[in-house]
């Protein structure tokens, strides 16, 4: 089986990114998009080189009356959702686990992922060690299942 | 002196305007700092402030506000910014502003932005915030001395006054066509009216949107933004320099609500995204009714705004509603009243949610002469509105007063 493109949510979670990578898939994360922006020497719009063009491009994913911060985020996240072949969504995570910063963006991204009818694993953020073990176990099982491995 | 300002915001990076914030800060001599916080501070800030927003970015804002309130970061002022149209952001913005006013003496301004916000949109606000901090002593000046001229170069009208030891000797205004030409005409007219010579003038103060170019032309002693200057003029004219007061200024293209203590602003808000609550809307409506603005104000006093259905605050759609009402046979008085109430209600719903309204409430600017508008504000706020004498010249008076502190003889 070919590796799958797996969207992670929160979109900047290093733990999810690492897990997806370890099991042979391609994580779709916002870091890659921001990295492209920051490394672009032609744009000088500190701190992450987002200009007013991004919120305008975000209109592809949400209406213009949606706040500019949501549209700016969607300009980066929208193309990742389009690419996604699977997704792992973690609800109510600790801020140190990752976050998009905006609850409205979260709602929209999750809805768009469901709309794609791709395999989705949705989990609650673990609150203790036992839950954490089960959390990782579920993710590993899901990632393996994307390879056709039922184990 | 560099003024340290804490930026407490959500969405400025993803809206692509953080660079514009930095640019406006650099022009106005501000050093922007982001109060450092720990992840543990976030939960504590929500518990202390009593607000639990869903967005993490807004939770971080609360934690940064708590850092300022607890003195863990040394700043001279605070700007609170969230995305325009974000309801949750607006709640957090208002809460932080009230929280900081209650817990600190630091001036706080708030702003909701779009991706189109440019440094130029922020300059007036930032400049005023810097002046509130850097020129605190100057702004505390309560009296006028000597012979000075103040000119307010507004977007619609240019206004000027000559003051001598606290008394207004002459006042003159005309429509702004070209900033310098209109400013110089007002300047010359003041000499004609008083018969004084230019050598007698001890200082000149210039404010308003054309202040830089006109101030340079007149070699003004004081060139200062209109928020702090109009506040001084309004408090002086309204005899409100001893305690709290609130100012309403419906300008040609924007509007301002300013909260003062002893004649010095401690909080303000400037409308800048929609011109629906501006003098321009009233001017267009008056033109459509075929009357001048003063007659328009008298008409509005006789009208009943409830008889006109206005579904939009937008200047274009609002006009459309009024024109439709006229076509259906509505009375001109009712249409004029509806336009005045539209401005007052929009101002109340937007600007007065951002500043504390404390009496006396002073209305200034050319639109304060529109009687129907003043009544609409009284009805909307359920408060007495005071229109001080020379209210349309408040900016010019403020400039004359503040410049008198910079006169050679002072």
């Amino acid at each position: 089986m070919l590796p799958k493109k797996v969207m992670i949510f929160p979109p900047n979670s290093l733990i999810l990114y690492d897990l997806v990578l370890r099991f042979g898939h391609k994580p779709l994360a916002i870091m890659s998009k921001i990295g492209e922006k920051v490394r672009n020497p032609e744009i000088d719009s500190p701190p992450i080189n987002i200009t007013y063009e991004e919120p305008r491009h975000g209109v592809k994913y949400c209406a213009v009356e949606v706040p500019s911060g949501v549209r700016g985020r969607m300009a980066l996240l929208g193309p990742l959702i389009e690419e996604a072949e699977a997704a792992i969504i973690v609800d109510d995570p600790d801020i140190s686990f990752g976050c998009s910063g905006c609850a409205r963006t979260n709602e929209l991204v999750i809805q768009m992922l469901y709309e794609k009818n791709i395999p989705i694993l949705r989990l609650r953020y673990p609150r203790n060690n036992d839950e954490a073990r089960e959390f990782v176990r579920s993710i590993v099982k899901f990632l393996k299942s994307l390879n056709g491995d039922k184990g | 002196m560099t003024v340290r300002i804490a930026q407490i915001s959500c969405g400025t990076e993803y809206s692509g305007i953080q660079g514009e914030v930095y640019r406006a800060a650099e022009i106005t001599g501000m050093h922007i700092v982001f109060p450092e916080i720990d992840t543990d501070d976030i939960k504590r800030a929500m518990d202390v402030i009593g607000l639990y927003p869903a967005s993490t970015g807004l939770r971080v804002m609360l934690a940064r506000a708590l850092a300022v309130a607890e003195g863990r970061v040394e700043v001279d002022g605070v700007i609170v910014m969230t995305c325009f149209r974000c309801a949750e952001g607006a709640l957090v913005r208002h809460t932080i502003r009230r929280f900081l006013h209650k817990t600190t003496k630091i001036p706080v301004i708030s702003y909701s932005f779009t991706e189109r916000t440019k440094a130029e949109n922020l300059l007036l606000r930032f400049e005023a915030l810097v002046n509130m901090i850097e020129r605190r002593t100057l702004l505390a000046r309560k009296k006028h001395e000597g012979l000075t001229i103040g000119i307010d170069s507004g977007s619609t009208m240019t206004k000027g006054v000559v003051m001598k030891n606290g008394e207004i000797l002459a006042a003159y205004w005309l429509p702004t066509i070209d900033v310098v030409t209109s400013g110089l005409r007002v300047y010359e007219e003041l000499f004609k009216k008083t018969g004084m010579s230019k050598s007698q003038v001890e200082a000149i103060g210039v404010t308003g949107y054309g202040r830089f170019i006109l101030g340079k032309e007149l070699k003004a002693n004081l060139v200062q933004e209109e928020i702090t200057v109009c506040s001084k003029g309004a408090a002086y004219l309204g005899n409100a320099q001893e305690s709290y007061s609130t100012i309403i200024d419906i300008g040609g293209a924007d509007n301002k609500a300013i909260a003062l203590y002893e004649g010095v602003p401690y909080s303000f808000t400037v409308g800048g995204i929609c011109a629906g609550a501006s003098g321009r809307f009233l001017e267009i409506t008056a033109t459509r009714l075929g009357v001048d603005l003063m007659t328009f104000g008298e008409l509005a006093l006789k009208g009943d705004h409830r008889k006109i259905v206005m579904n939009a605050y937008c200047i274009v759609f609002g006009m459309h509603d009024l024109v439709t009402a006229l076509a259906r046979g509505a009375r001109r008085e009712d249409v004029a009243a509806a336009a005045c109430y539209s401005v007052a209600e929009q101002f109340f719903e937007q600007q007065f949610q951002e500043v504390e309204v404390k009496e006396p409430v002073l209305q200034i600017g050319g639109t304060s002469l529109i009687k129907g508008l003043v009544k609409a504000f009284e009805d909307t706020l359920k408060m007495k509105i005071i229109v001080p004498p020379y209210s349309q010249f408040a900016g010019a008076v403020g400039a004359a007063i503040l410049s008198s502190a910079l006169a050679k003889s002072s």
Side-chain angles (χ1 to χ4, degrees):
Chain A
M1 294 285 280
L2 288 170
K4 293 276 191 290
K5 292 177 181 175
V6 182
M7 174 96 185
I8 57 170
F9 203 85
N12 58 349
S13 168
L14 293 174
I15 292 173
L16 289 181
Y17 188 97
D18 182 60
L19 277 169
V20 172
L21 209 57
R22 277 178 192 227
F23 287 87
H25 298 291
K26 184 188 174 191
L28 297 174
I30 201 166
M31 291 82 89
S32 58
K33 290 284 174 188
I34 291 176
E36 283 170 23
K37 291 266 162 210
V38 172
R39 285 190 291 273
N40 189 340
E42 289 173 18
I43 308 172
D44 183 21
S45 179
I48 50 176
N49 268 359
I50 286 181
T51 68
Y52 82 105
E53 290 294 338
E54 272 76 23
R56 286 180 64 205
H57 293 157
V59 173
K60 181 177 176 189
Y61 306 102
C62 48
V64 74
E65 68 254 36
V66 173
S68 52
V70 179
R71 284 183 280 121
R73 286 175 173 89
M74 289 311 296
L76 304 183
L77 294 171
L80 295 178
I81 298 169
E82 286 175 12
E83 270 188 77
E85 295 168 309
I88 301 171
I89 299 166
V90 177
D91 287 319
D92 201 17
D94 187 85
I95 191 170
S96 57
F97 184 76
C99 72
S100 82
C102 172
R104 301 292 87 78
T105 306
N106 295 351
E107 288 167 2
L108 183 58
V109 168
I110 292 169
Q111 187 276 330
M112 285 176 66
L113 285 169
Y114 275 110
E115 205 173 53
K116 278 181 71 87
N117 283 323
I118 53 174
I120 291 177
L121 175 68
R122 192 160 184 180
L123 307 148
R124 194 174 76 100
Y125 182 73
R127 300 293 166 195
N128 55 46
N129 280 348
D130 287 344
E131 283 185 18
R133 282 193 196 94
E134 186 51 38
F135 177 80
V136 175
R137 210 172 287 135
S138 303
I139 292 172
V140 169
K141 190 177 168 190
F142 176 73
L143 290 169
K144 283 183 176 174
S145 75
L146 295 176
N147 286 332
D149 180 350
K150 295 198 174 85
Chain B
M1 172 187 167
T2 302
V3 174
R4 281 169 63 85
I5 302 293
Q7 180 180 335
I8 299 179
S9 60
C10 176
T12 51
E13 302 95 335
Y14 285 103
S15 296
I17 67 146
Q18 187 57 45
E20 298 296 320
V21 175
Y22 287 141
R23 197 155 70 81
E26 195 183 338
I27 294 169
T28 50
M30 268 185 187
H31 178 62
I32 297 276
V33 294
F34 294 89
E36 275 197 32
I37 54 158
D38 207 283
T39 50
D40 293 341
D41 294 330
I42 295 173
K43 169 85 171 65
R44 194 166 65 83
M46 290 194 292
D47 290 340
V48 169
I49 297 172
L51 187 67
Y52 298 81
S55 297
T56 323
L58 299 174
R59 292 180 178 186
V60 169
M61 283 178 71
L62 295 176
R64 291 197 201 280
L66 187 64
V68 172
E70 291 179 341
R72 283 183 279 126
V73 54
E74 276 188 33
V75 290
D76 305 300
V78 176
I79 47 172
V80 188
M81 303 170 78
T82 59
C83 294
F84 180 59
R85 296 196 187 101
C86 176
E88 194 184 30
L91 269 177
V92 171
R93 205 173 65 237
H94 295 174
T95 304
I96 287 177
R97 184 183 49 73
R98 284 198 306 270
F99 173 70
L100 290 176
H101 278 156
K102 206 162 68 177
T103 54
T104 73
K105 291 194 180 303
I106 299 170
V108 180
I109 60 167
S110 59
Y111 185 64
S112 59
F113 54 82
T114 72
E115 70 273 26
R116 293 181 183 276
T117 295
K118 297 289 171 211
E120 289 70 23
N121 305 115
L122 301 168
L123 278 179
L124 169 65
R125 294 161 178 88
F126 282 19
E127 200 186 337
L129 183 59
V130 169
N131 286 337
M132 282 156 62
I133 296 158
E134 276 191 333
R135 298 189 174 186
R136 199 170 288 171
T137 312
L138 175 67
L139 294 174
R141 186 180 182 83
K142 290 182 180 173
K143 60 179 183 178
H144 174 267
E145 288 170 322
L147 183 72
T148 64
I149 285 181
I151 296 182
D152 178 1
S153 174
S155 63
T156 306
M157 302 293 287
T158 302
K159 296 134 281 193
V161 296
V162 181
M163 288 183 75
K164 186 175 182 183
N165 295 329
E167 191 191 339
I168 296 171
L169 297 184
Y172 185 73
W173 64 334
L174 49 70
T176 304
I177 296 162
D178 169 76
V179 167
V180 173
T181 311
S182 302
L184 290 178
R185 270 195 60 198
V186 167
Y187 180 68
E188 295 298 337
E189 200 63 36
L190 292 172
F191 288 103
K192 276 190 209 163
K193 279 175 161 267
T194 54
M196 65 182 188
S197 67
K198 286 176 184 164
S199 62
Q200 289 176 274
V201 178
E202 294 174 57
I204 300 171
V206 180
T207 189
Y209 100 113
R211 62 190 177 279
F212 293 114
I213 186 167
L214 185 60
K216 195 175 170 189
E217 184 73 25
L218 293 174
K219 297 185 176 60
N221 307 65
L222 176 105
V223 177
Q224 195 161 310
E225 41 63 44
E226 53 268 39
I227 290 165
T228 53
V229 176
C230 287
S231 297
K232 179 49 58 186
Y236 180 85
L237 292 168
N239 198 21
Q241 298 207 81
E242 300 308 321
S243 186
Y244 288 99
S245 56
T246 310
I247 295 175
I248 298 172
D249 182 5
I250 305 294
D254 61 18
N255 53 54
K256 303 172 194 77
I258 312 170
L260 309 185
Y261 181 66
E262 295 189 338
V264 181
Y266 64 91
S267 178
F268 65 85
T269 174
V270 184
I273 285 177
C274 171
S278 70
R280 186 73 68 203
F281 176 57
L282 298 175
E283 198 178 319
I284 294 170
T285 311
T287 306
R288 179 65 183 78
L289 294 177
V291 294
D292 62 45
L293 271 170
M294 297 305 109
T295 314
F296 170 82
E298 298 284 350
L299 275 181
L301 277 182
K302 296 174 199 156
D304 181 353
H305 70 283
R306 291 166 299 188
K307 290 184 178 170
I308 307 294
V309 178
M310 283 195 72
N311 292 321
Y313 281 144
C314 167
I315 201 164
V316 175
F317 292 127
M319 262 317 290
H320 181 262
D321 287 340
L322 298 179
V323 170
T324 307
L326 283 171
R328 286 184 185 143
R331 294 193 317 145
R332 295 193 315 158
E333 290 85 345
D334 297 339
V335 167
C340 290
Y341 274 81
S342 170
V343 169
E345 284 170 4
Q346 188 170 350
F347 187 86
F348 175 70
E349 287 169 16
Q350 292 175 359
Q351 312 308 358
F352 270 166
Q353 305 309 311
E354 304 269 347
V355 299
E356 285 175 290
V357 185
K358 290 188 175 176
E359 290 189 277
V361 182
L362 307 164
Q363 191 172 346
I364 58 165
T367 51
S368 64
L369 304 178
I370 302 171
K371 290 180 181 169
L373 181 63
V374 177
K375 180 174 183 300
F377 269 116
E378 286 188 332
D379 289 351
T380 306
L381 288 175
K382 312 260 183 298
M383 283 179 176
K384 172 84 185 142
I385 305 284
I386 296 168
V387 179
Y390 292 102
S391 59
Q392 72 273 40
F393 294 102
V397 169
I401 294 169
L402 295 176
S403 67
S404 78
L406 306 173
K408 282 176 194 165
S409 63
S410 180

